[in-house]
């Protein structure tokens, strides 16, 4: 009998167990199956750990490992510094290999960690309540639109064209089948901010929500307050926020947001090719019963000792089935805990300092690039750590050149916007050194020689 | 225990950052957009953070710390190798050029193929982030299919009353009306009841097979025939695939769409309730409706993201799905190989039936016959001792065992759903049986022990009523 490292059964065990069951052959356990698969799966035979490791190492070596690269690309996933303690703590095996905290008494680790996560998200966003995570930023936006529609019973969402283009796609996918409508709001070509006139024109009595990003996909910082001012009272303002920026920018809750969501990757999570990351989701307390997802609350045990449990489960699919606020079940708890550990480590001062450095480095880069006179500025609006500029040469070829030097250049916005072909979306974080930035700029200086 | 926020002290930090090395500029932003009050995040030093999370970790039960027979959740062991392999892929940005991520793309491509092979499906997307997300994807594929074929009257989705709550919720999110069909006295879909609701207005039927009672839907071929006769699609909730890998393929039984929970069958950890990964496989005729993008290979042997899916149901999440979970599942498939996957299923079923046999004399098994990977105890009989399934479950905690899933499926009163998985040894199962009998004895002789349980846990029984009435959702 072949042995497998993850299965403990010996031949003798199997015999004894079959005896107890009263069968002579494992086949009898499948005798009620009307159509057995008689062939062999077209999958290789089992391998040893050494072989599997070699195979995966070989695969991973065919990817660029960004640890070794200078990174100037963001667009939704950011290369931020992850302090050593974060993964060592958050991926301890009793966190990693636990399930949903159905038995609260033996899940206090999970429950308290997620409760602390909710607390931190409320602090960051300036909102009253938060859930314990969504799949990612895109699904969080989509679910926020659905939630707003449950709150005010209206069916049209006005979504800024300047939020992440994939979030718009996800939102369309999520809402179309429920008869909700999404209409896009233009950005002001001069500032890169949402076009307030266009927004005002499109608001009507069916409008349920307005969705903006803060900063937006172009890195431009929207003025939430001014947007809120033009909204009728019943229309909910959904803000998709970049959490690192909230170390510098006023909390959306203070400026009139009703629901604040976002992609949490930059809070201590690896880039991992875009997943898993997590979505955060916060709102005003009065909307809590329309919120999707798991929520943790504080309580006491039989001795009056503090403890934590899942609350408001009657919103959730396992109780309410077809009438639930959402179908979400497994969420991204581990990623949320990673964020919680990260925020505990960087703390109040760290977040402020990281945000400040992100801002400063991007502004230094932008200024230097413009000085080369090989780029045209695009938007006037203030930006955070990302910005759009338009090179007077072929961006893709420039990126190829940079790659040879282990630099990842800006994203070509032509990927998402037909009218922005050859526009570059540059990004810097606290990890970009001045030396790197200066080197990138020197490369721009060589452009004529590299014959673009 | 204190919250990390309560351990905070002005002036402490666990963080360091290089000094800003670029010349500073003044921040040119409207005053109202500048943060006035800093977020009240903890101010603690590194050792305090370390002790805090160590203490929290000790307060969790996990597969690594003990038996976790949580039915339907498939809490099998998560190999250490999986984690190490996943870490090889941490530093990849989703918007790198395809040329720079050929290894990752090849892995995804192979995984799509393997999962297609295991389920008997022709094409697979890895985009969904969890099982329920896969269900929603599947239901949106159904929507596109009926629209494309002009089946304007198809508005309903049928599912059994034993279905997981995500099934009706997902069907509803995709805009369908949900029709529940009663299970028969044998715990399976009742064919006669099924025929009563099956007509041309049905878009899809959602089943898990084996179902949530651990029983195989023996009439599946007839159900498939009836579904297809009415141009309805058959959807397979593959959360329970662990019973049948290499033994039965949903595709061969007539299923058109299937989702898998990589965080169950394929040994990737549940991470306290996520991340998961819920790939969806479809038959050829539904390939054009898959979400965009899927991974493909061109004539030069280069892998690429294929966005050219004109009838696609759209995009379900940003980027490409939970990639590092895929790496774990892929690692597992390579380790197990075709014979190992099949063996895993056989042993999962053997373990479940062994437990069922060992418990059947003293406990009331809801459907006492050969089961698949799990079975359900009807705890109603405990009433005669004045205790409930909940009390029984809480007492198990005192013995260091995570209780089975309780009060699900809804069609069994006082349900206790037991799923041991293949990674538990006979010795561990025997110990569980012993504890089950011991607690039953306690119920008979001293039920207060159960009602007062648990006692040996970090906290005693928690008050859910207060938690829901006096909502306190943040520190
Ligand atoms: C039968 C069944 N279907 C679907 C799901 C949903 O999967 P997920 O939690 O990954 O969304 C689960 C798990 O909870 C399940 O047991």
């Amino acid at each position: 009998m072949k042995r497998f490292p993850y299965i403990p059964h010996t031949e003798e065990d199997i015999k004894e167990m079959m005896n107890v069951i009263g069968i002579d052959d494992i086949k009898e356990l499948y005798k009620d199956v009307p159509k057995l698969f008689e062939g062999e799966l077209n999958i290789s035979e089992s391998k040893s750990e050494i072989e599997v490791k070699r195979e995966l190492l070989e695969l991973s070596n065919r990817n660029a490992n960004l640890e070794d690269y200078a990174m100037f690309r963001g667009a939704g996933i950011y290369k931020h510094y992850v302090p050593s303690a974060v993964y060592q703590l958050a991926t301890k095996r009793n966190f990693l290999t636990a399930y949903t905290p159905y038995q609260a008494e033996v899940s206090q680790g999970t429950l308290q960690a997620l409760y602390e996560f909710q607390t931190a998200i409320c602090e960051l966003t300036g909102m009253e309540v938060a859930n314990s995570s969504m799949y990612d930023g895109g699904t969080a936006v989509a679910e926020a639109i659905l939630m707003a529609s449950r709150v005010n019973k209206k069916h049209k969402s006005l979504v800024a064209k300047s939020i992440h283009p994939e979030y718009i796609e996800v939102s369309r996918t999520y809402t179309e089948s429920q008869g909700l409508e999404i209409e896009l709001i233009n950005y002001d070509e001069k500032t890169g901010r949402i076009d307030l006139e266009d927004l005002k024109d499109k608001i009507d009595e069916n409008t349920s929500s307005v969705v903006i990003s803060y900063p937006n996909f172009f890195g431009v910082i929207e003025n939430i307050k001014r947007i809120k001012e033009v909204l009728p009272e019943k229309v909910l303002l959904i803000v998709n926020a970049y959490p690192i920026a909230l170390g510098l920018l006023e909390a959306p809750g203070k400026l009139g947001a009703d629901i604040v969501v976002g992609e949490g990757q930059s809070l201590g999570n690896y880039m991992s090719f875009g997943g898993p990351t997590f979505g955060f989701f916060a709102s005003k307390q009065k909307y809590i019963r329309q919120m999707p997802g798991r929520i943790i609350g504080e309580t006491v045990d039989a001795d009056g000792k503090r403890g934590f449990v899942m609350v408001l489960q009657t919103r959730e699919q396992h109780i309410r089935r077809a009438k639930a606020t959402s179908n979400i079940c497994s969420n991204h708890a581990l990623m949320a805990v990673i964020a919680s550990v990260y925020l505990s480590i960087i703390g109040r001062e760290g977040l402020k300092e990281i945000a400040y450095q992100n801002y400063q480095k991007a502004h230094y880069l932008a200024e230097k690039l413009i000085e080369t006179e090989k780029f045209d500025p695009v938007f006037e609006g203030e930006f955070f750590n990302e910005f759009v500029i338009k090179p007077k040469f072929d961006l893709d070829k420039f990126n190829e050149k940079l790659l040879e030097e282990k630099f990842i250049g800006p994203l070509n916005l032509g990927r998402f916007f037909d009218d922005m072909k050859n526009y570059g979306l540059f990004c810097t974080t606290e990890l970009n050194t001045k030396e790197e930035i200066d080197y990138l700029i020197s490369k721009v200086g060589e452009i004529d020689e590299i014959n673009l | 225990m204190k919250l990390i926020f309560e351990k905070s002290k002005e002036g402490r930090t666990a963080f360091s950052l290089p000094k800003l090395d670029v010349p500073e500029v003044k921040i040119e932003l409207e005053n109202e957009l500048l943060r006035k009050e800093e977020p009240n995040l903890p101010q603690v030093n590194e050792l305090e953070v370390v002790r805090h999370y160590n203490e929290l970790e000790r307060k969790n039960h996990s597969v690594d710390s003990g038996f976790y027979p949580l039915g339907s959740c498939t809490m099998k062991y998560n190999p250490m190798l999986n984690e190490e392999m996943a870490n090889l892929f941490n530093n990849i940005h989703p918007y790198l050029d395809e040329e720079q991520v050929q290894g990752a793309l090849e892995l995804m491509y192979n995984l799509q193929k393997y999962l297609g092979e295991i389920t008997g499906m022709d094409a697979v997307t890895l985009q969904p982030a969890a099982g329920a997300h896969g269900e929603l994807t599947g239901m949106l594929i159904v929507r596109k299919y009926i629209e494309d074929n002009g089946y304007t009257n198809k508005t309903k989705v049928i599912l059994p009353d034993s279905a997981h709550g995500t099934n009706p919720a997902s069907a509803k999110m995709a805009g369908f009306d949900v029709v529940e069909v009663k299970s028969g006295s044998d715990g399976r879909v009742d064919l006669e009841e099924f025929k009563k609701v099956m007509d041309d207005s049905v878009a899809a039927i959602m089943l898990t097979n084996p179902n949530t009672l651990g029983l195989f839907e023996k009439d599946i071929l007839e159900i498939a025939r009836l579904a297809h006769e009415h141009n309805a699609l058959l959807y397979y909730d593959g959360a329970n695939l662990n019973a049948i890998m290499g033994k039965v393929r949903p595709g061969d039984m007539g299923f058109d769409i299937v989702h898998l929970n990589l965080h169950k069958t394929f040994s990737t950890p549940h991470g306290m309730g996520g991340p998961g990964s819920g790939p969806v496989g479809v038959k050829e005729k539904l390939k054009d409706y898959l979400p965009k993008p899927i991974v493909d290979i061109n004539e030069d042997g280069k892998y690429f993201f294929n966005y050219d899916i004109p009838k696609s149901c759209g995009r379900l999440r940003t980027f490409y799905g939970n990639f590092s979970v895929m790496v774990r599942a892929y690692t597992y498939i390579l380790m197990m190989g075709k014979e190992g996957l099949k063996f895993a299923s056989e042993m999962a079923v053997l373990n479940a039936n062994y437990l069922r046999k060992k418990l059947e004399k003293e406990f009331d098994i809801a459907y006492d016959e050969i089961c698949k990977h799990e079975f359900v105890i009807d705890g109603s009989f405990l009433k005669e001792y004045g205790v409930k399934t909940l009390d029984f479950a809480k007492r198990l905690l005192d013995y260091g065992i995570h209780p089975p899933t309780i009060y699900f499926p809804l069609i069994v009163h006082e349900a206790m759903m037991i799923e041991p998985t293949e990674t538990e040894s006979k010795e561990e199962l025997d110990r569980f049986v012993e504890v089950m009998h011991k607690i039953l004895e306690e119920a008979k002789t001293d039920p207060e022990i159960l009602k007062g349980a648990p006692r040996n846990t970090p906290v005693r029984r928690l008050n859910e009523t207060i938690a829901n009435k006096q909502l306190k959702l943040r520190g």
Side-chain angles (χ1 to χ4, degrees), chain A residues 144-401:
Chain A
I145 294 171
L146 295 175
M147 171 169 157
S149 172
R150 288 192 295 273
V151 167
N152 56 23
K153 307 273 186 299
K154 297 187 185 288
H155 67 259
K156 195 165 90 179
S157 180
L158 302 177
V159 177
K161 212 182 256 177
S162 53
I163 80 168
H164 195 302
E166 293 189 9
Y167 291 17
I168 299 177
E169 285 182 59
V170 173
S171 298
R172 284 198 194 284
T173 308
Y174 260 73
T175 53
E176 225 172 34
S177 51
Q178 299 198 36
L180 265 67
E181 207 183 308
I182 284 183
E183 193 172 356
L184 298 184
I185 305 297
N186 292 329
Y187 50 87
D188 182 318
E189 307 236 330
K190 204 160 133 224
T191 62
R193 282 182 167 178
I194 193 167
D195 181 341
L196 280 178
E197 291 310 311
D198 191 42
L199 173 62
K200 276 191 242 168
D201 285 349
K202 286 175 179 160
I203 291 172
D204 60 24
E205 74 279 4
N206 298 323
T207 306
S208 166
S209 58
V210 169
V211 187
I212 61 154
S213 281
Y214 179 65
N216 66 26
F217 189 63
F218 309 128
V220 174
I221 301 161
E222 300 279 4
N223 190 321
I224 299 179
K225 201 161 168 224
R226 248 176 268 157
I227 294 168
K228 180 70 179 181
E229 277 161 12
V230 307
L231 300 186
E233 200 188 290
K234 286 250 158 69
V235 175
L236 269 63
L237 179 59
I238 299 169
V239 174
N240 168 58
Y242 176 19
I244 295 290
L246 298 180
L248 177 72
L249 302 182
E250 184 56 287
K254 292 256 164 73
L255 298 169
D258 297 288
I259 303 175
V260 182
V261 296
E263 169 56 63
Q265 179 267 331
S266 49
L267 300 175
N269 280 256
Y270 292 130
M271 292 177 281
S272 323
F273 211 22
T277 59
F278 72 96
F280 59 87
F281 198 114
S283 82
K284 294 183 174 158
Q285 171 117 24
K286 63 180 173 188
Y287 303 136
I288 186 93
R289 281 171 206 280
Q290 297 303 335
M291 194 183 262
R294 271 180 204 137
I295 301 171
I296 314 303
E298 189 179 324
T299 188
V300 289
D301 76 353
D303 297 331
K305 205 163 133 190
R306 174 198 243 177
F308 303 90
V309 294
M310 295 195 279
V311 295
L312 298 172
Q313 295 186 58
T314 50
R315 297 165 302 111
E316 293 189 70
Q317 45 72 31
H318 63 283
I319 310 268
R320 195 57 73 78
R321 299 174 78 80
K323 294 198 185 78
T325 51
S326 162
N327 69 336
I328 193 169
C329 177
S330 287
N331 53 17
H332 280 57
L334 184 71
M335 279 53 232
V337 171
I338 287 172
S340 209
V341 178
Y342 174 80
L343 287 169
S344 301
I345 286 179
I346 65 167
R348 184 202 292 182
E349 292 305 314
L351 181 71
K352 189 172 150 188
E353 177 67 14
I354 293 168
Y356 188 71
Q357 290 210 9
N358 274 253
Y359 181 95
Q360 289 296 341
K361 295 202 167 190
H363 281 72
Y364 176 71
L365 172 64
E367 198 174 297
K368 288 283 178 187
L369 288 174
I370 297 293
E371 270 174 26
T372 65
E373 297 190 347
K374 293 198 164 94
F375 292 88
D376 290 325
V378 175
F379 298 125
E380 282 172 9
E382 242 328 300
F383 56 92
F384 177 63
N385 70 345
E386 250 175 325
F387 58 90
V388 182
I389 54 176
K390 186 169 181 273
K392 297 173 179 165
F393 50 83
D394 188 305
L395 185 63
D396 291 341
K397 283 196 188 143
F398 178 57
N399 274 342
E400 272 170 39
K401 267 279 166 232

Side-chain angles (χ1 to χ4, degrees), chain A residues 99-100 102 135 294 317 327-331, chain B residues 70-74 129-135 162-167 170 208 210-212 237-240 259-264 270 273-278 373-374 408 417 419:
Chain A
Y99 196 54
T100 304
Y102 288 135
Y135 299 138
R294 271 180 204 137
Q317 45 72 31
N327 69 336
I328 193 169
C329 177
S330 287
N331 53 17
Chain B
L70 195 60
S72 198
C73 301
T74 311
H133 205 211
E135 294 168 22
S162 64
H164 196 259
T166 50
N167 291 184
S170 301
T208 178
N211 66 23
T212 52
D237 172 344
N240 291 338
H259 90 256
L260 296 174
N261 282 13
L262 298 188
H263 48 304
K264 295 188 174 169
H270 291 77
S277 174
H373 58 305
E374 62 195 9
F408 179 78
M417 185 202 271
E419 179 180 13

Side-chain angles (χ1 to χ4, degrees), chain A residues 43-48 51-53 55-56 59, chain B residues 110 114 328-338 341:
Chain A
I43 291 176
S44 58
E45 290 192 358
S46 68
K47 293 177 179 165
S48 67
E51 291 164 301
V52 172
K53 231 179 221 185
E55 200 168 323
L56 275 116
L59 283 173
Chain B
N110 290 343
Y114 289 166
R328 291 171 173 89
Y330 187 69
T331 303
Y332 178 72
I333 292 174
L334 292 186
M335 281 297 290
M336 299 299 281
K338 56 184 168 195
L341 295 175

Side-chain angles (χ1 to χ4, degrees), chain B residues 83-155:
Chain B
E83 296 314 302
E84 205 177 311
M85 296 303 97
N87 284 333
L88 295 173
F89 298 84
N90 286 336
N91 281 302
I92 331 177
H93 191 280
Y95 293 150
L96 293 177
D97 303 339
E98 282 161 359
E99 198 61 45
Q100 290 170 275
V101 291
Q102 283 296 306
L105 289 175
E106 179 173 338
L107 189 151
M108 289 175 78
Y109 183 81
N110 290 343
L111 185 59
Q112 285 174 187
K113 277 216 129 65
Y114 289 166
L115 297 179
E117 175 68 13
I118 291 166
T119 54
M121 293 286 157
D122 299 315
V124 172
T125 171
L126 303 171
Q127 197 175 99
H133 205 211
E135 294 168 22
L136 177 59
T137 308
M139 287 298 108
L140 292 172
I141 289 171
V142 172
R143 265 210 99 72
K144 283 285 162 192
Y145 167 81
I146 61 178
E147 273 168 29
D148 199 32
N149 286 283
Y151 298 133
T152 46
N153 63 333
K154 289 197 177 292
T155 54

